[in-house]
């Protein structure tokens, strides 16, 4: 039998449960068990989410590791030969062993450098205009054109430059024409990535600079761009990584040559993608297949080194907290 008092409830064993006292006895243990259930459910859900996440990561890594292992195992022995980094493929037939890829490496770097030299200022300045100054119809038109360029296939960009450069102006195909087509592919990537990085810069930094009487263009250069520098460099590297592996503009505007060619405005220029395509036609021959895998591995290494360099530049160039 239990008694009810003004301060609480008296149980059968004579222990009073006040209004603020936790319940005792078997009902208390059930209440505690019910309180533990939400925590146990959250722990279970967290564990399942971790398992799904790591499983998805492992599945995504399988093709990546497979590709890297295949390319490295079949082309690494060519990269160990110093001739690969110093020679070219002049007077080397498809069934002949030997030769190097320096002509293709130089062509890839020269074209990528020219593409970056044109694309980076245009892309960054366009993003700055859209975020900091762009208002009205002009900004909407520019943003719309950037969206269109983002979805243009590489072969369409190459055909457009061919129609203007070769057909209209009558200029021969060259490495510079290839760079112009790659510019059309690289600018949208830089614009969109830079635009997103600039939007992440807190407005408080801009307002504090304006409050000190600093002009807007100085604020953009010294505050906004420096704060977003790391992300901007990452976007530029993504754009370069995309254009360095393009093949359609190279086949249409800059066919392959086995000789050294360092002049962007004179004649065909060798690149690693066109070297891969050249040897792919004779894939049945062991020597051509080896050169193809070696050129593919070289291209992967160049992109990797470029990304590492960008990480270093972004680390030392970003604003320190």
């Amino acid at each position: 039998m239990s008694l009810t008092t003004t301060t609480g409830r008296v149980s059968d064993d004579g222990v009073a449960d006040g209004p603020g006292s936790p319940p005792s006895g078997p009902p208390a243990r059930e209440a505690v068990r019910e309180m533990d259930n939400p925590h146990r459910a959250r722990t279970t859900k967290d564990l399942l989410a971790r398992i799904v996440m790591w499983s998805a990561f492992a599945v995504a890594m399988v093709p990546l590791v497979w590709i890297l292992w295949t390319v490295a195992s079949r082309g690494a022995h060519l990269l160990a030969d110093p001739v690969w980094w110093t020679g070219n493929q002049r007077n080397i037939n498809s069934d002949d062993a030997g030769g190097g890829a320096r002509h293709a490496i130089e062509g890839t770097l020269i074209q990528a450098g020219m593409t970056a030299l044109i694309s980076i200022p245009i892309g960054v300045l366009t993003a700055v205009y859209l975020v900091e100054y762009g208002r009205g119809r002009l900004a909407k038109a520019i943003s719309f054109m950037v969206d269109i360029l983002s979805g243009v296939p590489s072969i369409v960009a190459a055909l457009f430059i061919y129609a203007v450069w070769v057909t209209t102006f009558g200029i021969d195909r060259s490495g510079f024409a290839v760079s112009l087509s790659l510019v059309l592919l690289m600018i949208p990537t830089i614009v969109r990535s830079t635009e997103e990085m600039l939007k992440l810069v807190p407005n408080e930094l801009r307002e504090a600079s304006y409050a000190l009487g600093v002009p807007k263009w100085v604020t953009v250069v010294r505050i906004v761009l420096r704060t977003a520098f790391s992300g901007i460099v990452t976007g530029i590297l993504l754009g370069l990584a995309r254009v360095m592996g393009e093949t359609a503009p190279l086949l249409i505007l800059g066919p392959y040559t086995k000789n050294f060619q360092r002049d962007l405005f004179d004649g065909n220029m060798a690149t690693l993608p066109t070297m891969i395509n050249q040897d792919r036609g004779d894939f049945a021959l062991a020597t051509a297949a080896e050169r193809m895998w070696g050129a593919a591995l070289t291209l992967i290494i160049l992109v990797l080194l470029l990304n590492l360099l960008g990480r270093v530049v972004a680390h030392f160039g970003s604003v320190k907290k």
Side-chain angles (χ1 to χ4, degrees):
M1 179 177 182
S2 62
L3 299 176
T4 302
T5 65
T6 58
T7 59
R9 179 178 178 276
V10 179
S11 60
D12 294 336
D13 53 2
V15 180
D17 295 336
S21 302
S24 58
R29 288 191 294 269
E30 293 179 1
V32 173
R33 192 177 300 110
E34 292 178 358
M35 293 174 61
D36 287 341
N37 286 336
H39 177 70
R40 187 179 299 110
R42 287 194 299 268
T43 304
T44 304
K45 292 178 181 178
D46 179 72
L47 179 61
L48 291 176
R50 289 174 180 270
I51 293 174
V52 172
M53 180 188 68
W54 285 107
S55 299
F57 173 76
V59 171
M61 288 296 295
V62 169
L64 176 61
V65 174
W66 191 0
I67 292 173
L68 292 177
W69 170 253
T70 302
V71 176
S73 61
R74 299 187 181 187
H77 65 282
L78 286 180
L79 275 65
D81 187 0
V83 178
W84 180 262
W85 304 99
T86 58
N88 57 13
Q89 293 294 313
R90 184 178 182 180
N91 299 326
I92 301 295
N93 298 322
S94 299
D95 55 349
D96 294 335
R102 180 178 173 180
H103 64 308
I105 296 173
E106 290 181 353
T108 299
L109 295 178
I110 292 173
Q111 290 183 6
M114 178 58 67
T115 302
L117 186 64
I118 301 174
S119 301
I120 292 175
I122 297 176
V124 173
L125 292 177
T126 301
V128 169
Y129 172 77
L130 292 176
V131 176
E132 304 294 335
Y133 299 94
R135 299 292 184 275
R137 295 182 178 179
L138 180 59
K140 293 181 180 179
I142 294 175
S143 181
F144 178 70
M145 294 303 298
V146 172
D147 291 337
I148 292 178
L149 286 177
S150 300
V152 171
S154 59
I155 191 170
V156 175
L159 291 174
F160 171 75
I161 297 298
Y162 183 89
V164 175
W165 186 263
V166 179
T167 305
T168 303
F169 294 106
I171 305 175
D172 293 335
R173 296 183 296 174
S174 62
F176 185 74
V178 174
S179 297
L180 292 179
S181 65
L182 297 179
V183 164
L184 298 178
L185 303 176
M186 186 173 176
I187 285 179
T189 304
I190 297 178
V191 172
R192 287 309 179 202
S193 60
T194 303
E195 190 177 359
E196 293 302 321
M197 292 301 105
L198 294 179
K199 289 180 180 179
L200 293 177
V201 177
N203 285 326
E204 290 78 4
L205 295 178
R206 299 179 176 89
E207 295 171 355
S209 179
Y210 299 151
L212 295 175
V214 179
K216 186 170 185 176
W217 71 270
V218 177
T219 301
V220 171
V221 174
R222 301 296 299 273
I223 303 298
V224 179
L225 289 179
R226 287 194 62 186
T227 305
F229 181 78
S230 178
I232 293 174
V233 171
T234 303
I236 291 173
L237 293 176
L238 290 175
L240 272 179
R242 178 191 177 187
V243 300
M244 287 181 66
E246 289 292 346
T247 306
L250 303 172
L251 296 177
I252 296 174
L253 298 169
Y256 177 71
T257 177
K258 295 185 178 182
N259 300 324
F260 288 109
Q261 175 58 272
R262 301 179 179 91
D263 190 352
L264 281 170
F265 299 91
D266 183 18
N268 300 338
M269 178 175 286
T271 58
L272 289 171
T274 51
M275 182 178 178
I276 295 172
N277 182 74
Q278 177 72 17
D279 291 319
R280 181 192 59 83
D282 299 316
F283 187 75
L285 300 175
T287 52
E290 289 179 353
R291 282 192 294 269
M292 184 194 71
W293 292 115
L297 181 59
T298 304
L299 182 60
I300 292 175
I301 293 175
L302 288 180
V303 174
L304 176 61
L305 292 177
L306 186 64
N307 280 271
L308 293 177
L309 178 61
R311 294 292 183 180
V312 173
V313 173
H315 174 74
F316 289 102
S318 59
V319 178
K320 300 297 186 295
K321 296 181 180 180

